[in-house]
Amino acid sequence: MGTLYLVRHGQASFGAENYDQLSPRGREQAVRLGEYWRERGMTFDAVIRGSLSRHAQTLEGICQGMGIECEPLVTPALDEYDSAALIEAIHPGPRAPADTPERYRQHFRLLCDAIAQWMGGTITPRGMPNWSDFSGGVRGVLEQVRERHADHHVLLVSSGGPIATAIAEVLATPAEVMIALNMRIRNSAVSELSISPKRLMLQTFNTLPHLDSPEHAGWVTHA
């Protein structure tokens, strides 16, 4: 039986003009994860990532930490939804930046509401696929992994939305559970799915073994 390692990207640039870049801390998280795996002799038979810059930069950091060359399969099916388009669909017009704790919480309350409406088909955010196509793309990647890699270790680097969608799919949960899972996934966190020819099964969720030491206690981030 193989294992699919789902890794959320390292800390990105929340609040910046371009979110899709790792922060210096995000880079450190990715390299540290690679170092952790190298220390334990981990290898991967296949590597898959989304097409966003933060996915590429996270994988580069992991591979640097492991001391290996990575040749990933790149697929937009693992790209994150557009949070700005989602919020704009239910709250058009200018909004104050999320630069205080309360505004930060308000931003994510709006985002959760927008995701729920998108999933329910009541809004169509500009430039985004519908929920069925988004979740179907993630499902397709999972099916490919199950069919091709039942005895392999596979690394998949993506974002919180696709990872939460994958886990909700495996658990066959109500759609709204995906939102709760999504909001909990931390930067560079690892979730594991066991791979058999017939099914994928959840093994671990949202773990940070590479940051489990006093010196890395301040490296845990969520955005």
Side-chain angles (χ1 to χ4, degrees), residues 7-139:
V7 176
R8 187 189 175 204
H9 61 79
Q11 184 187 55
S13 300
F14 185 81
E17 184 174 345
N18 181 13
Y19 172 76
D20 191 26
Q21 297 289 323
L22 291 192
S23 69
R25 176 65 76 212
R27 174 75 180 181
E28 290 173 330
Q29 291 165 338
V31 173
R32 176 59 198 138
L33 177 55
E35 291 172 344
Y36 173 86
W37 277 333
R38 184 191 65 206
E39 292 161 3
R40 285 151 183 81
M42 175 66 77
T43 60
F44 296 104
D45 302 290
V47 179
I48 309 170
R49 67 166 174 84
S51 69
L52 300 178
S53 294
R54 57 190 183 273
H55 302 157
Q57 292 164 4
T58 298
L59 181 59
E60 288 169 4
I62 292 171
C63 293
Q64 176 185 328
M66 293 183 74
I68 61 172
E69 295 290 330
C70 291
E71 297 183 6
L73 170 67
V74 180
T75 172
L78 295 174
D79 289 353
E80 185 64 289
Y81 50 69
D82 186 337
S83 59
L86 279 161
I87 293 175
E88 178 69 22
I90 66 168
H91 192 285
R95 294 177 304 279
D99 54 3
T100 68
E102 178 53 35
R103 288 177 178 173
Y104 183 86
R105 289 190 291 270
Q106 182 182 35
H107 170 87
F108 283 99
R109 284 195 295 268
L110 283 171
L111 179 58
C112 289
D113 186 14
I115 293 172
Q117 293 192 45
W118 171 50
M119 296 171 81
T122 59
I123 61 171
T124 305
R126 175 174 45 84
M128 281 180 50
N130 60 38
W131 167 249
S132 179
D133 288 343
F134 178 88
S135 59
V138 173
R139 189 179 308 113

Side-chain angles (χ1 to χ4, degrees), residues 171-190:
L171 295 178
T173 66
E176 58 268 20
V177 173
M178 171 270 183
I179 302 173
L181 293 172
N182 186 185
M183 294 301 117
R184 300 310 305 162
I185 301 177
R186 299 169 291 187
N187 295 120
S188 76
V190 181

